[in-house]
């Protein structure tokens, strides 16, 4: 990421104000994340806990998918579960908003149909009614209402929209040949097994092959692999770049070839009903999954809670200090056990045990997510996911796309007051270059008007009059959105994540596997919960993994 290029692309701010006569200035703000409070861990002044300690059976630090999955796994054991979350909303990068005409995502917006091996995730989906049964082959059957409706994806390429992400009618014969060769390889790798009999690429990751020949792919970048295999046409290079930014937040030069090929070959679901779409989607994206975890776990959730210290005690209990950010008060909780559902760099600051020094070093990608509240359809050929070829961002999703009942969209306005055509468009941009710190710093310095202007400029080739249709645009800056699986991310002991930090403290975060997939975050939380249950004598039954 070139700082000068970024600033020059958004500095003018004229698009925000360039509307038709009589239009009010575009409203909006930067709504998070809570960088200021989180950065206090880097050495800012912190109040000291005083007064009697609060009590809980298990304290979970972090209310994202991993933390809430841990609570979900422990639910039913009769425990007092306490979740301490820094942000003003639960869910981490699967958070959502409810203040629009429809619910909308602030991060992850879909779940690809899970593999049979993702047992814990399928159990959750079964509880939600998304998995309605199992076929004769032992594959899950999905509620068709939850699968993405057509049209699903579209691409703006050379001045026109095309269905899907491959505009076959507009590509050169050379690009078509390369794309066909790439898709054929994708199918071959999906079915490939290593010398140990395991699938070459699997979800969960720890079910993947340990074949040394396959693991050597982690020594090179995805860009280097494309060079080696002779993929050189601009469209195929763009297609792979889009995929790497979409799932990992990094350019192909930044992403391990093993991780890159896993993106294309790790999904195995082949049920008949998935022929049209294999994406499970909701208006609020993966916020619907977060809601399901909270409803079923029913933990006590404290928002705006900055955890500053986690200390195992000789008594066998664990002390957790945190700051109530809104009140500026320091508090302490004593618990039977703790689960740290936080990135490795945070765990190293709040947990003093030697095990914290053994956690993997991860580089986290920075993202910008913007929600555009639009008053009317911006074009007649809408789709769930709209992508612009050659754009800075990854395009946008339409929160209304999955609604089958107008009443389901009602939030704060009555059905009669809400015009049918209004919706929320969620725009995504990953800053995937090697200098992540510079990208993060530039994002944090930029004012809302500049960021909003950058979004409108990026979408202008497809929607030159978008400004006239938007009444509000709010922006979320994710400084540490997800771990970036750079070459070597698998480490010297692939697929053996560190979970137990001490007898009564476990770690749960996608920094463990190094890839931010929902199934991985979910499994990390379940694994930590089962680890703690075993060490603390909590009866929860057989493993769900």
């Amino acid at each position: 990421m070139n700082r000068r290029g970024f600033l020059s692309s958004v500095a003018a701010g004229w698009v925000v104000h360039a509307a038709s006569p009589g239009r009010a200035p575009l409203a909006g703000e930067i709504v998070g994340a809570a960088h200021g409070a989180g950065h206090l861990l880097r050495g800012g002044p912190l109040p000291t806990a005083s007064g009697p300690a609060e009590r809980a059976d298990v304290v979970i630090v972090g209310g994202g998918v991993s933390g809430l999955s841990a609570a979900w796994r422990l639910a039913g054991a009769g425990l007092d579960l306490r979740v301490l979350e820094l942000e003003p909303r639960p869910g981490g990068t699967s958070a959502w908003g409810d203040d629009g005409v429809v619910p909308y995502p602030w991060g992850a917006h879909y779940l690809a149909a899970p593999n049979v091996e993702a047992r814990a995730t399928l159990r959750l989906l079964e509880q939600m009614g998304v998995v309605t049964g199992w076929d004769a082959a032992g594959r899950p059957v999905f509620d068709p209402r939850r699968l993405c409706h057509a049209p699903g994806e579209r691409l703006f390429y050379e001045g026109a929209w095309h269905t899907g992400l491959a505009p076959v009618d507009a590509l050169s014969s050379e690009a078509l040949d390369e794309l066909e060769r790439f898709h054929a390889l994708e199918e071959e790798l999906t079915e490939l097994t290593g010398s140990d009999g395991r699938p070459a690429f699997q979800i969960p990751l720890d079910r993947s092959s340990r074949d040394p020949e396959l693991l050597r792919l982690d020594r090179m970048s995805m860009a280097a692999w494309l060079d080696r295999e002779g993929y050189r046409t601009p469209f195929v290079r763009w297609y792979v770049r889009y995929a790497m930014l979409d799932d990992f937040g990094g350019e192909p030069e930044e992403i391990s070839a093993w991780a890159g090929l896993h993106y294309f070959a790790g999904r195995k679901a082949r049920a008949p009903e998935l022929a049209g779409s294999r994406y499970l989607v909701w208006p609020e994206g993966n916020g619907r999954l977060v809601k399901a975890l909270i409803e079923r776990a029913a933990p006590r959730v404290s928002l705006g809670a900055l955890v500053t210290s986690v200390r195992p005690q000789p008594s066998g209990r664990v002390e957790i200090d945190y700051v109530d950010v809104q009140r500026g008060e320091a508090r302490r909780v004593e618990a039977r056990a703790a689960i740290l559902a936080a990135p490795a760099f945070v765990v190293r600051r709040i947990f003093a045990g030697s095990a914290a020094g053994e956690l993997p070093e991860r580089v986290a990608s920075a993202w910008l997510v913007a929600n555009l509240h639009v008053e009317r359809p911006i074009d007649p050929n809408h789709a769930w996911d709209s992508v612009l070829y050659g754009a800075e961002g990854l395009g946008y999703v339409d929160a209304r796309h999955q609604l089958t009942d107008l009443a389901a969209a009602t939030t704060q306005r009555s059905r009669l007051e809400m015009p049918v055509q209004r919706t929320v468009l969620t725009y995504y941009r990953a800053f995937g270059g090697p200098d992540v710190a510079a990208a993060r710093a530039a994002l944090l310095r930029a004012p809302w008007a500049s960021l909003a202007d950058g979004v409108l400029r990026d979408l202008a080739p497809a929607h030159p009059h978008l400004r006239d249709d938007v009444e509000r645009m709010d922006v979320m800056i994710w400084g540490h959105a997800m771990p970036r699986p750079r070459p070597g991310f698998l480490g010297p002991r692939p697929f053996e994540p560190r979970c137990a930090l001490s007898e009564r403290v476990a770690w749960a975060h996608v920094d463990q596997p190094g890839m931010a997939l929902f199934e991985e975050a979910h499994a990390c939380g379940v694994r930590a919960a089962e680890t703690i249950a075993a060490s603390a004598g909590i009866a929860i039954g057989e493993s769900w993994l």
Side-chain angles (χ1 to χ4, degrees):
M1 149 91 176
N2 180 284
R3 178 176 175 273
R4 178 179 297 176
F6 170 77
L7 293 176
S8 64
S9 70
V10 301
W14 63 270
V15 177
V16 168
H17 304 286
S20 298
R23 293 284 297 173
L26 181 62
E29 61 181 330
I30 297 175
V31 298
H35 308 104
H39 289 170
L40 293 175
L41 289 177
R42 301 191 303 193
L46 294 170
T48 303
S50 60
E54 303 165 2
R55 297 277 179 165
D57 287 316
V58 179
V59 169
I60 299 169
V61 179
V65 170
S66 291
L68 296 173
S69 297
W72 171 74
R73 180 64 182 95
L74 294 171
L79 301 172
D80 178 13
L81 303 173
R82 183 81 180 274
V83 175
L84 302 176
E85 166 58 42
L86 173 62
E87 298 295 332
R89 55 179 69 83
T93 52
S94 290
W96 74 97
D98 279 324
D99 61 341
V101 70
V102 287
Y104 53 88
W106 273 121
H109 58 282
Y110 70 91
L111 171 63
N115 297 351
V116 173
E117 292 76 10
R119 295 174 54 204
T121 296
L122 289 172
R123 180 185 288 261
L124 174 64
L125 294 176
E126 197 168 23
Q127 292 177 0
M128 295 172 63
V130 176
V131 170
T132 59
W134 303 80
D135 67 14
R139 300 173 302 197
V141 177
F142 298 96
D143 181 345
R145 294 172 299 177
R146 299 281 68 84
L147 293 169
C148 185
H149 305 160
E153 296 174 308
R154 63 175 182 168
L155 177 67
F156 189 76
Y157 181 77
E158 293 189 349
W161 287 109
H162 301 263
T163 301
L165 295 183
V168 293
D169 295 336
L171 294 178
S172 67
S173 58
E174 183 183 9
L176 284 172
D177 288 345
E178 274 199 8
L179 191 61
E180 182 177 349
R181 179 161 67 94
F182 188 86
H183 286 323
L185 178 63
E186 181 179 347
E187 290 299 317
E188 179 183 336
L189 292 176
T190 301
E191 302 298 328
L192 180 67
T193 58
S195 58
D196 53 4
R198 294 171 178 259
F201 305 98
Q202 180 60 283
I203 301 172
L205 263 66
D206 61 8
R207 302 288 187 92
S208 300
S209 175
R210 274 71 168 169
D211 187 327
E213 191 68 26
L214 291 167
L215 296 180
R216 268 195 281 273
L217 291 165
D218 189 39
R219 300 179 186 175
M220 67 171 66
S221 71
M222 191 62 185
W225 181 88
L226 289 170
D227 291 338
R228 190 188 75 179
E229 300 298 318
Y231 292 103
R232 293 183 171 82
T233 60
F235 183 83
V236 172
R237 302 291 290 220
W238 170 86
Y239 179 77
V240 173
R241 177 181 183 266
Y242 170 82
M244 300 302 96
L245 288 167
D246 181 49
D247 243 31
F248 310 130
E251 299 282 352
E253 292 79 6
E254 283 284 296
I255 302 301
S256 157
W258 191 96
L261 294 173
H262 183 279
Y263 174 94
F264 294 103
R267 300 284 177 189
K268 315 293 184 184
R270 293 291 188 272
E273 73 269 20
L274 299 176
S277 172
R278 63 178 183 178
Y279 299 119
L280 300 168
V281 296
W282 299 268
E284 65 270 54
N286 288 7
R288 183 69 64 88
L289 298 167
V290 172
K291 292 178 183 178
L293 291 169
I294 294 173
E295 289 168 1
R296 285 156 180 79
R300 289 191 292 146
V301 180
S302 297
L303 301 174
L306 173 66
V307 174
T308 59
S309 176
V310 177
R311 302 180 305 279
Q313 300 298 303
S315 63
R317 299 186 68 82
V318 182
E319 287 185 350
I320 300 96
D321 288 352
Y322 74 97
V323 176
D324 181 325
V325 174
Q326 186 171 4
R327 293 183 173 86
E329 298 173 356
R331 300 177 180 176
R332 176 168 296 167
V333 188
E334 288 188 3
R336 293 170 61 183
I339 294 173
L340 309 188
F345 77 91
V346 172
V347 174
R348 281 190 284 269
R349 292 184 182 276
I350 65 175
F351 182 75
S354 60
E358 301 173 13
L359 302 185
E361 295 283 348
R362 302 295 189 200
V363 171
S365 296
W367 283 67
L368 179 149
V369 179
N371 273 295
L372 289 71
H373 298 254
V374 300
E375 297 179 326
R376 52 186 174 269
I378 57 177
D379 68 65
N381 302 312
H382 67 89
W384 166 63
D385 190 4
S386 299
V387 181
L388 281 66
Y389 179 83
E392 296 287 348
L394 297 169
Y396 61 89
V397 295
D398 186 341
R400 182 176 286 280
H401 183 268
Q402 281 303 109
L403 291 177
T404 56
D405 179 2
L406 180 61
T410 303
T411 54
Q412 298 177 359
R413 298 183 176 95
S414 74
R415 181 172 177 172
L416 294 177
E417 293 173 335
M418 184 174 59
V420 175
Q421 66 265 33
R422 301 185 70 188
T423 189
V424 182
L425 307 178
T426 306
Y427 166 93
Y428 297 89
R429 181 177 176 184
F431 292 81
D435 196 342
V436 178
R440 189 178 297 128
L443 277 170
L444 292 176
R445 282 195 300 268
W448 168 83
S450 294
L451 297 175
D453 186 75
V455 173
L456 293 173
R457 285 176 180 271
D458 203 30
L459 297 177
H463 304 295
H465 305 293
L466 179 60
R467 169 62 190 90
D468 286 336
D469 300 318
V470 179
E471 64 174 352
R472 187 174 103 234
M473 185 196 309
D474 296 324
V475 174
M476 179 82 75
I477 297 170
W478 294 107
H480 301 269
M482 59 175 63
R484 181 180 295 182
R486 283 176 159 173
F489 86 103
L490 290 177
R493 299 170 64 89
F495 317 120
E496 296 181 16
R498 179 68 181 257
C499 183
L501 299 181
S502 72
E503 185 179 2
R504 297 296 179 93
V505 180
W507 181 42
H509 193 266
V510 289
D511 271 2
Q512 290 177 355
M515 291 172 62
L517 306 177
F518 178 86
E519 299 96 321
E520 293 298 330
H522 193 234
C524 286
V526 170
R527 183 181 298 110
E530 293 180 350
T531 298
I532 284 301
S535 63
I538 300 170
I540 58 173
E542 296 181 354
S543 176
W544 290 0
L545 296 175

